[in-house]
Amino acid sequence: MTNQPEVAIFGGGCFWCLEAVYLEVRGVTRVESGYMGGHEAVPTYEQVCAGVTGHAEVVRLEFDPAQISYRDILEMFFTIHDPTTPNRQGNDVGTQYRSAIFFTSPQQEAVARQVVAEMANVWDAPIVTEVTPAATWYKAEAYHQDYFRQHPLQGYCAFVVAPKVSKFRKTFANHLK
């Protein structure tokens, strides 16, 4: 009997960063970049980047809970982005870069709220991460999928994504594929 995969959806700045990390996590079986949490049906990257749709750039993960827990995935999330900066990650500014957890079950909501409360003791500034029910998922355009692996030398990837991936590899070596 195989376990049913669970879904986790997070916004933590540019989706390329989160996607690059979660693609390396043992137990994560699928990672897609996309948009969630806005009001526009079928938003485009240009619309989301312009901040006119209300969507966040997010990653949608499928994972095997027998191999990795939702809590572990959340702890990674809070390590690879700054949950204290409203609508911003580094030089990326706008509501599309907000810190957000979109839960898919009451159990995920409870764990997310517990981890957010715990993180308040770790970070020096207040946690601004939204914890809201998952809404309609829009997969980002094909050229955004697996972006870091395809473009490791692109400027943003080399100077922003690569350091996050490196930090993840050092901090969570026991969870690497």
Side-chain angles (χ1 to χ4, degrees):
M1 182 171 143
T2 14
N3 288 324
Q4 283 292 93
E6 246 188 87
V7 171
I9 304 163
F10 305 125
C14 178
F15 46 34
W16 298 340
C17 295
L18 296 178
E19 179 193 61
V21 166
Y22 285 117
L23 281 168
E24 298 197 358
V25 176
R26 187 176 358 92
V28 172
T29 56
R30 184 182 187 118
V31 183
E32 294 178 320
S33 291
Y35 317 109
M36 186 172 280
H39 52 78
E40 184 75 28
V42 195
T44 65
Y45 180 66
E46 290 73 23
Q47 290 171 319
V48 173
C49 282
V52 298
T53 69
H55 289 88
E57 287 192 15
V58 298
V59 291
R60 181 185 181 279
L61 317 173
E62 289 182 13
F63 66 98
D64 178 351
Q67 292 186 49
I68 188 162
S69 70
Y70 184 65
R71 171 178 274 284
D72 285 342
I73 290 172
L74 279 170
E75 288 174 1
M76 292 170 191
F77 173 68
F78 281 104
T79 302
I80 58 176
H81 89 294
D82 183 346
T84 68
T85 53
N87 300 325
R88 163 181 222 135
Q89 286 297 303
N91 291 329
D92 294 331
V93 179
T95 58
Q96 67 271 30
Y97 302 116
R98 66 189 180 268
S99 178
I101 298 166
F102 294 95
F103 59 86
T104 61
S105 69
Q107 295 80 10
Q108 280 192 356
E109 179 183 16
V111 172
R113 292 194 186 284
Q114 182 179 20
V115 172
V116 167
E118 292 167 6
M119 289 298 126
N121 298 318
V122 174
W123 290 84
D124 292 334
I127 303 294
V128 298
T129 305
E130 297 175 3
V131 178
T132 56
T136 303
W137 158 256
Y138 297 100
K139 186 175 176 179
E141 296 80 352
Y143 69 91
H144 288 296
Q145 308 304 321
D146 206 13
Y147 195 85
F148 178 65
R149 281 194 194 159
Q150 294 181 46
H151 307 282
L153 302 179
Q154 187 259 6
Y156 188 90
C157 289
F159 294 105
V160 179
V161 183
K164 287 185 182 220
V165 171
S166 179
K167 177 182 178 182
F168 165 77
R169 288 175 180 160
K170 289 177 187 160
T171 307
F172 294 98
N174 58 325
H175 286 289
L176 291 174
K177 285 184 178 172

